[in-house]
Amino acid sequence: PATMKMDAWESFLSFSKTYLSSPVVIFTRNDYRFISGIDDLSGKTVGAAANTPLTDLLARDYPDVHLREFDFSEQAMLALAQGEVDAFIGNIAVGTQIMLDHQIPNIKVAAPSPLPSRDLAFGMRKDWPELTGIVDKALATITAEERAAIQSKYLSIRYEHGISAGDVLKWTGGVAGVALLVVLLFVTWNRQL
């Protein structure tokens, strides 16, 4: 349900506060020429996940980019690694995870994109309203140092330019916080049982 509108989700879910704002970036192969932004991809083939707001924005705002849509971001990243497309535009957290899962050594984050970041939050059943408060409190207890430690352990990406190390830490720190939150919720839930 990647294309499901937020209103449909809100009819049966309540959401925590945003725990991660994950930017949309441009991935290329390590040996690809220098690019500073999306305008450098004019006339090039760019992979992206199909039927998402991101592909709608790319098609509408960047008609000079040859958009090749894939069913999943994973397929687009693998096509990039094999040289079937010139770049992949997608969420940095998703792209990083795909690179780690498939041990793809020849892809880098090449540049930021002007497309809007994805704000992520936990969705809980509306008939469990107290869980939303618990999740928000747990997210608030994660310190910047803890987020950084989790991120450095579980998220490691290669980037060339356009993104500072501080930005990468900020963007992926939330992902690390989520991992810690899941553990905390699991422990709390087990204690209540």
Side-chain angles (χ1 to χ4, degrees):
T3 59
M4 186 180 242
K5 297 200 182 295
M6 185 55 77
D7 294 342
W9 288 108
E10 289 175 348
S11 67
F12 61 91
L13 293 175
S14 62
F15 291 93
S16 70
K17 293 179 182 172
T18 298
Y19 66 86
L20 175 65
S21 183
S22 186
V24 174
V25 296
I26 301 168
F27 294 87
T28 63
R29 287 179 307 283
N30 293 340
D31 59 355
Y32 198 74
R33 65 180 175 80
F34 174 83
I35 63 167
S36 61
I38 199 167
D39 292 331
D40 293 339
L41 296 173
S42 180
K44 303 297 181 192
T45 303
V46 174
N51 301 316
T52 65
L54 173 66
T55 54
D56 295 342
L57 286 172
L58 283 169
R60 184 189 74 204
D61 297 343
Y62 300 94
D64 293 340
V65 171
H66 300 291
L67 183 61
R68 181 171 170 200
E69 296 184 40
F70 293 84
D71 290 336
F72 303 100
S73 293
E74 180 179 35
Q75 293 169 331
M77 288 284 282
L78 293 172
L80 172 60
Q82 297 168 1
E84 297 173 21
V85 295
D86 296 303
F88 165 71
I89 297 180
N91 179 302
I92 194 169
V94 171
T96 301
Q97 190 61 47
I98 293 168
M99 289 167 58
L100 293 172
D101 288 348
H102 292 278
Q103 299 177 355
I104 303 173
N106 66 333
I107 294 180
K108 65 184 177 189
V109 175
S113 90
L115 301 171
S117 296
R118 298 290 307 264
D119 291 335
L120 303 177
F122 286 100
M124 279 80 47
R125 293 172 26 177
K126 282 203 174 199
D127 60 340
W128 293 354
E130 59 280 346
L131 185 56
T132 304
I134 292 169
V135 170
D136 284 338
K137 287 178 185 176
L139 287 172
T141 64
I142 301 170
T143 66
E145 293 82 18
E146 290 170 328
R147 287 178 192 259
I150 294 169
Q151 175 205 318
S152 66
K153 183 174 181 180
Y154 295 105
L155 296 175
S156 174
I157 61 170
R158 172 187 159 95
Y159 62 94
E160 183 177 282
H161 64 278
I163 299 176
S164 70
D167 288 340
V168 172
L169 286 173
K170 180 177 71 174
W171 294 326
T172 56
V175 171
V178 170
L180 181 60
L181 175 65
V182 169
V183 171
L184 290 172
L185 288 174
F186 183 77
V187 169
T188 303
W189 184 33
N190 278 331
R191 281 189 168 181
Q192 289 178 351
L193 288 176

